[in-house]
Amino acid sequence: MDEILGLDAVGQAQAVRDGRVSPRELAEAAIAKIVKHDGEIGAVVHRRFERALAEADALPGGTPFRGVPILLKDLGWVEKGEPYNAGSRTLDGVRIAADAYSVAKLKAAGFVILGRTSTPEFGTTITTEPVAFGPTRNPYDPGYSAGGSSGGSAAAVAAGMVAVASASDGGGSIRIPASLCGLVGLKPTKGRTSYGPSGGEGWSGFSVAGLVSRTVRDTAAVLDLIAGLEEGDPYTAPALPRPLADEVGAEPGRLRVGFVTRHPRGDVPEHEELTAAVTAAATLLESLGHKVEPGHPDELGNPDFPQHFGALVAANVAAEVQSVGAWRGRPVSLDELEPRNRAMAETGAQRTAVEHILAVQWMDGFRRRMAAWWRSGFDVLVAPSLGVPPFPLGWLPPDDLSTGFGRTAHAVSYTSAFNATGQPSISLPLHRTAAGLPVGVQLVAATGREDLLVRLAAQIETARPFEHPAMR
């Protein structure tokens, strides 16, 4: 059974179709893995094992992922009848009234949902250490962070509990934990996946739902399932020419690739491990026949970006705190929040509607100026997935906000810009530190070009297969 549980989701689904394992047996094996290891890892905050086994027994045939276990991030990804915390005790006792559209699609495809994974409070930081549930530990070294905000999902997949888990990304929250846990993490194009029925967009359009997985083909196949415009969505991503699963193994052609190892803003320290990771990736891409050269959008170095991005995020946090109060039937007092979110909610609440709209308009210009680099003839940008090396738990001191916000700004320096532009980007596990900790490399394509990223990522995976030694 360990052999089958070690397969990716596409492989597990095939094992079920071939009769090598039943949906119940596969779910029981994944549950046993969670029970055995999650006490150390701290990835799963809500378990629904009995319900999952009953659903596994009742699954109809003919669905593409019949019987494959999955975990849902406890931020968004809501499921009818299940608890929901978003990493915060302010939501204790809340039960969900309806499935998110993406959750309904996963169920229709035959996935068996085993529970919900940990996230920092309201998903606002790069490490999963919520006061409400305690830290999520990196399976490669339990003293290190699994990243955030999809840290619980990434740790669960890296530890072999499930082959794939849901995630979301508003400033790097798929790519950063994928980098730290040695996984594939694709942030789709803005609007590729729906936030319905409970919402239209996340963080003023910065956030998008996706997943973390061990293989490119899993990422492609599951994104195919959850993508698509739903009634009432405010916008959608450009249509893809064909399913992303069909892009796996397709020839990407000779691409023009730019790469960057020193952030052009000038205030982000360069790190040896990140430089080594990007340089090795550039060398690999050159060996695969691509035209590779140093280069990046000049606008990536705009010194005004962090303040506008931070202001919009803070306004969204303030709005979320008010929404939580309405949802639970009584206002949230600031002293119920972790210090980071208390500060962000206070700052966001002080901004006027005019200031908010001006920040949105600034981002409109930023998006167009960034896009000019891809229009100039480049196909892909290669950059670090995380602006700092792997870091230990406690690296962001909760009561020293100046240090915490400063370190976070460095960490998201290569990811948040592409939340603002809405472009697709993918983190691939292409480097390890001397201590064996993963370091991801990010590939960024033009808006709507997940197809190109999947082709290129699959080519890289074939040339240098990803290893997952943290699985046990």
Side-chain angles (χ1 to χ4, degrees), residues 122-394:
F122 303 140
T124 57
T125 191
I126 58 165
T127 185
T128 302
E129 303 176 52
V131 171
F133 297 101
T136 296
R137 300 181 179 276
N138 193 314
Y140 283 83
D141 185 328
Y144 275 73
S145 174
S149 64
S150 307
S153 287
V157 174
M161 298 174 192
V162 290
V164 64
S166 76
S168 56
D169 192 317
S173 289
I174 289 175
R175 292 156 291 166
I176 288 170
S179 175
L180 291 171
C181 292
L183 302 176
V184 177
L186 172 61
K187 182 196 80 67
T189 295
K190 175 181 176 179
R192 181 69 67 201
T193 53
S194 175
Y195 265 85
S198 60
E201 63 178 8
W203 280 11
S204 299
F206 295 160
S207 185
V208 62
L211 57 137
V212 287
S213 73
R214 296 195 292 261
T215 64
V216 174
R217 71 175 185 173
D218 270 5
T219 287
V222 181
L223 185 53
D224 281 336
L225 289 176
I226 63 173
L229 178 70
E230 297 291 343
E231 186 177 26
D233 287 348
Y235 45 74
T236 190
L240 293 165
R242 59 179 179 173
L244 289 174
D246 293 345
E247 305 294 352
V248 177
E251 185 61 41
R254 187 171 189 258
L255 304 177
R256 187 181 180 195
V257 178
F259 69 94
V260 58
T261 59
R262 180 183 291 275
H263 199 284
R265 204 166 58 232
D267 61 347
V268 181
E270 186 175 11
H271 293 277
E272 181 180 343
E273 293 287 5
L274 309 186
T275 299
V278 171
T279 302
T283 300
L284 174 61
L285 287 167
E286 193 168 44
S287 74
L288 294 172
H290 302 293
K291 182 181 179 182
V292 182
E293 58 193 283
H296 57 79
D298 290 340
E299 188 66 11
L300 185 61
N302 192 313
D304 296 329
F305 173 79
Q307 71 183 65
H308 290 295
F309 184 84
L312 286 168
V313 171
N316 277 272
V317 173
E320 183 167 11
V321 170
Q322 288 202 21
S323 296
V324 168
W327 198 1
R328 72 179 190 175
R330 65 185 190 281
V332 175
S333 64
L334 290 179
D335 61 8
E336 292 182 78
L337 304 175
E338 295 181 24
R340 172 190 69 258
N341 285 325
R342 186 183 312 144
M344 294 174 76
E346 286 180 318
T347 299
Q350 291 167 4
R351 294 182 63 81
T352 67
V354 171
E355 288 173 327
H356 183 79
I357 290 171
L358 288 173
V360 170
Q361 291 174 343
W362 189 93
M363 285 297 175
D364 291 339
F366 177 79
R367 184 167 56 249
R368 291 187 172 92
R369 293 189 296 271
M370 286 283 283
W373 187 78
W374 278 264
R375 289 198 305 273
S376 74
F378 283 92
D379 298 297
V380 172
L381 174 68
V382 179
S385 299
L386 176 63
V388 297
F391 54 88
L393 293 167

Side-chain angles (χ1 to χ4, degrees), residues 18-29:
D18 292 344
R20 295 167 56 197
V21 64
S22 71
R24 170 174 274 268
E25 289 169 335
L26 192 52
E28 287 176 336

